[in-house]
Amino acid sequence: MNTNSLNRTDCPEVKVPFLIFFTVGMVSLAENSLVVLAVILNRNLHSPMYCFICSLAAFNTIASLTKTWENLMIVFADVGHLEKRGPSETKLDDMMDCLLCMSFVGSIFSFLAIAVDRYITIFHALRYHNIMTMQRTGGILVFIWTTCGVSAVLMVRFFDFKFIMICFVVFFIVSLGIICFLYVYMFLLARIHAKSIAALPPGGEGALTLTILFGAFVVCWAPFFTHLIIIMVCPLNPYCECYRSLFQLHVVLIMSHALIDPAIYAFRSAELRYTFRKMLLCLSRKLCC
Amino acid sequence: MSELHNRSQTSARRSDYVWQYEYYDDEEPVSFEGLKAHRYSIVIGFWVGLAVFVIFMFFVLTLLTKTGAPHQENPDAADKRHRPGSCLVDIEDQKDKSDKAFSRPLLTGTRSYFNFYVNEEGQAQRENNREDGGGSFKDRRGTRSSDVMEEEIEDAGTPHPLNGLIEESRMERERVFLSQYNIPNFVNLEHSSTLGEDDLVYEPSVVLERHSQTPCDTH
């Protein structure tokens, strides 16, 4: 630790207890893997919308798994079982950072895909089945996963270059803008047409739902990205240092977004809830028998 | 000695680096003296800004919803009044709205179907179709999961061979049609189904049925 009094910081790093990380990680892992399983098992859910939701849940699963594992390793390292700067640990750390980056970028891409899919469902409904075929969906998913994998490797490899971080932040801001625009546009036009059409848009996207959807995304992701911006812009400023000291809180926020994502996207569908019930019933029967 | 001490200090500092916080640069001290504002001012400012943004967005969306509600009430109320026994013109409501672009294609698209149907079907068929239409529309409305915009109407389009059948009585029919037209009802039916050829012929019959059954005084 820094023993020099000049180096003492008035903003000590805020440490989040390991138990919180572990709980959030485990619950989010359980939820998201359940969603992935449900979509794969139920044939009715083999539609583009559910494929994107499944992809989002898969990315969240990877994120929560990796984060929980990383925290376990930190605990072991703190206790002394692991050497922090050993070659194998560094490689492992790099790999975990890769997976985390991949899942972050992937979940943002999945949100984009879900928003675009909903947009096409609403505004090009007749041509929806021609525009969004299962082959195209598969192609889009392959593209998303490949891009995420490649960009994650690049990001971790060349993390020293500021350019990579700038790209990351710009990507986040642009995606945020597109998602915001798509949802607000859908909402506005659906409201206008609700005057003449008494049918509600899918998922009952009223003001509250949309606020929750978008608000959760912004509240959970913006702090982390502001952190990245602050690292680039003002590494030595004491105010910025105080912001950076809350890093662990921001990571918990991202993990909790992986936790609430299924509630926002997946569990709103009756078909998916029905599949869950069936799965749990089958599981309990198997365990009882 | 001092070199060793320095090396051990730097190596101690390096080993003090936390696992993932590689960018925390402990070698360059940050001075906390002479801060004018509170230490956590950026943090507080950031969260306040975020909260304001989310609340603002919520209020904007709610406001948009609320401005839509009064317009929505009129067609619904009018609807309930219409069904028992009278026909009222709902077109005025639609004309006042800014979304004329949406209402016009609906009218042009559906007019031809109305006219086509009026020419082709007889009274008895309408009687038969009515019960079927009521039940199936409920089903379709339940399964249809999205709002369909004017594109659907335009895509359904005007089948050209059918238009030829109705040219002579078109103007007359239009007048009758417009006076009896009830956009919310019709659009509900129109949008709540997957449009196929038989549906397009089928649906106007239900609305027409409702109108024909109720004694209409053209205003």
Side-chain angles (χ1 to χ4, degrees):
Chain A
M1 284 299 147
N2 293 320
T3 50
N4 199 343
S5 60
L6 264 178
N7 293 349
R8 269 201 71 201
T9 166
D10 286 334
C11 286
E13 186 196 319
V14 173
K15 289 201 188 291
V16 175
F18 168 72
L19 200 63
I20 292 181
F21 270 117
F22 192 71
T23 318
V24 172
M26 281 287 115
V27 174
S28 123
L29 183 69
E31 274 187 353
N32 286 293
S33 44
L34 212 65
V35 171
V36 173
L37 217 62
V39 173
I40 289 174
L41 289 178
N42 188 351
R43 285 210 170 274
N44 291 343
L45 299 176
H46 288 184
S47 74
M49 181 176 91
Y50 287 109
C51 283
F52 292 131
I53 290 179
C54 178
S55 157
L56 176 69
F59 279 122
N60 285 334
T61 312
I62 293 174
S64 28
L65 198 66
T66 314
K67 203 70 200 96
T68 314
W69 187 18
E70 190 175 22
N71 276 294
L72 269 170
M73 298 204 70
I74 292 174
V75 164
F76 283 145
D78 283 340
V79 168
H81 291 308
L82 280 175
E83 189 193 324
K84 273 187 188 175
R85 283 285 141 189
S88 56
E89 278 82 7
T90 331
K91 276 190 186 161
L92 205 61
D93 180 47
D94 278 344
M95 199 182 74
M96 287 198 287
D97 285 341
C98 261
L99 284 173
L100 271 173
C101 267
M102 184 176 94
S103 54
F104 289 164
V105 176
S107 49
I108 294 180
F109 265 125
S110 300
F111 291 135
L112 259 175
I114 290 173
V116 170
D117 177 70
R118 284 181 176 176
Y119 179 82
I120 296 177
T121 306
I122 289 180
F123 295 120
H124 299 274
L126 254 198
R127 296 192 292 253
Y128 176 75
H129 289 290
N130 292 331
I131 297 174
M132 201 60 95
T133 56
M134 281 309 283
Q135 283 90 7
R136 268 202 200 138
T137 311
I140 291 171
L141 284 175
V142 164
F143 168 75
I144 288 177
W145 282 80
T146 332
T147 315
C148 295
V150 166
S151 57
V153 168
L154 283 176
M155 263 191 251
V156 173
R157 204 78 194 275
F158 302 110
F159 193 72
D160 300 326
F161 296 119
K162 275 199 174 171
F163 176 70
I164 295 289
M165 239 196 287
I166 292 173
C167 278
F168 199 34
V169 171
V170 165
F171 165 71
F172 170 72
I173 293 173
V174 165
S175 314
L176 199 73
I178 294 175
I179 292 172
C180 182
F181 168 74
L182 279 176
Y183 275 120
V184 170
Y185 189 56
M186 277 192 274
F187 177 82
L188 285 177
L189 287 183
R191 278 294 135 201
I192 288 172
H193 284 259
K195 293 173 195 172
S196 48
I197 305 161
L200 282 175
E205 257 157 17
L208 187 65
T209 312
L210 204 58
T211 313
I212 290 173
L213 203 87
F214 197 67
F217 182 69
V218 168
V219 165
C220 292
W221 285 91
F224 178 75
F225 278 87
T226 317
H227 183 96
L228 291 181
I229 293 172
I230 276 182
I231 289 173
M232 286 190 290
V233 165
C234 56
L236 297 178
N237 193 322
Y239 297 112
C240 298
E241 166 98 10
C242 286
Y243 185 88
R244 284 190 285 135
S245 67
L246 301 175
F247 177 71
Q248 288 197 357
L249 279 175
H250 302 154
V251 174
V252 168
L253 270 176
I254 292 187
M255 285 176 77
S256 58
H257 187 66
L259 185 76
I260 61 179
D261 259 348
I264 297 176
Y265 286 94
F267 292 167
R268 296 185 71 86
S269 150
E271 182 72 37
L272 210 72
R273 287 198 299 264
Y274 171 71
T275 316
F276 286 140
R277 258 179 270 137
K278 263 184 82 177
M279 273 167 56
L280 292 171
L281 276 171
C282 282
L283 201 69
S284 61
R285 263 184 225 149
K286 277 183 189 169
L287 287 172
C288 287
C289 301
Chain B
M1 260 324 251
S2 60
E3 272 181 314
L4 270 173
H5 179 67
N6 282 339
R7 242 182 270 142
S8 66
Q9 252 195 344
T10 48
S11 65
R13 265 192 238 150
R14 272 196 220 109
S15 64
D16 287 338
Y17 279 153
V18 188
W19 190 255
Q20 70 262 47
Y21 309 135
E22 291 167 347
Y23 38 83
Y24 267 101
D25 210 350
D26 292 325
E27 285 160 5
E28 293 174 38
V30 177
S31 155
F32 273 86
E33 288 159 20
L35 288 184
K36 289 175 197 166
H38 189 259
R39 298 179 305 201
Y40 286 105
S41 51
I42 288 188
V43 177
I44 296 168
F46 171 78
W47 281 105
V48 165
L50 205 63
V52 162
F53 170 72
V54 172
I55 292 171
F56 169 74
M57 189 174 68
F58 177 68
F59 276 127
V60 163
L61 293 173
T62 319
L63 208 69
L64 286 167
T65 318
K66 288 222 170 109
T67 51
H71 293 282
Q72 216 168 354
E73 282 168 19
N74 289 338
D76 290 339
D79 226 14
K80 287 168 191 163
R81 274 182 284 124
H82 293 172
R83 276 175 203 153
S86 61
C87 293
L88 285 174
V89 184
D90 283 328
I91 308 290
E92 286 89 26
D93 289 337
Q94 300 302 319
K95 277 182 187 166
D96 291 338
K97 290 169 192 167
S98 56
D99 53 329
K100 278 187 185 177
F102 297 124
S103 57
R104 247 183 261 122
L106 289 169
L107 289 174
T108 52
T110 54
R111 215 177 293 149
S112 57
Y113 290 116
F114 261 79
N115 297 329
F116 163 68
Y117 186 80
V118 164
N119 275 329
E120 293 294 300
E121 297 286 339
Q123 198 69 17
Q125 276 180 316
R126 281 183 223 155
E127 291 282 345
N128 290 336
N129 286 336
R130 193 180 173 245
E131 283 90 34
D132 298 340
S136 59
F137 279 118
K138 280 176 211 155
D139 295 339
R140 275 189 225 130
R141 206 177 297 185
T143 52
R144 186 66 168 164
S145 61
S146 64
D147 273 346
V148 178
M149 300 307 157
E150 78 279 12
E151 274 186 53
E152 207 176 48
I153 306 297
E154 286 169 348
D155 284 4
T158 53
H160 299 291
L162 301 174
N163 276 340
L165 298 169
I166 58 168
E167 282 297 340
E168 64 276 3
S169 58
R170 201 175 170 184
M171 296 310 289
E172 196 189 17
R173 294 288 176 206
E174 276 181 13
R175 260 183 270 121
V176 172
F177 163 75
L178 282 173
S179 65
Q180 299 176 2
Y181 194 72
N182 189 355
I183 290 182
N185 253 351
F186 185 83
V187 172
N188 253 336
L189 307 171
E190 193 78 42
H191 287 305
S192 62
S193 70
T194 52
L195 292 177
E197 273 302 301
D198 45 344
D199 292 340
L200 293 166
V201 174
Y202 196 56
E203 285 170 86
S205 68
V206 181
V207 182
L208 202 63
E209 184 58 14
R210 262 182 233 174
H211 289 299
S212 63
Q213 293 230 324
T214 60
C216 294
D217 304 317
T218 56
H219 296 97

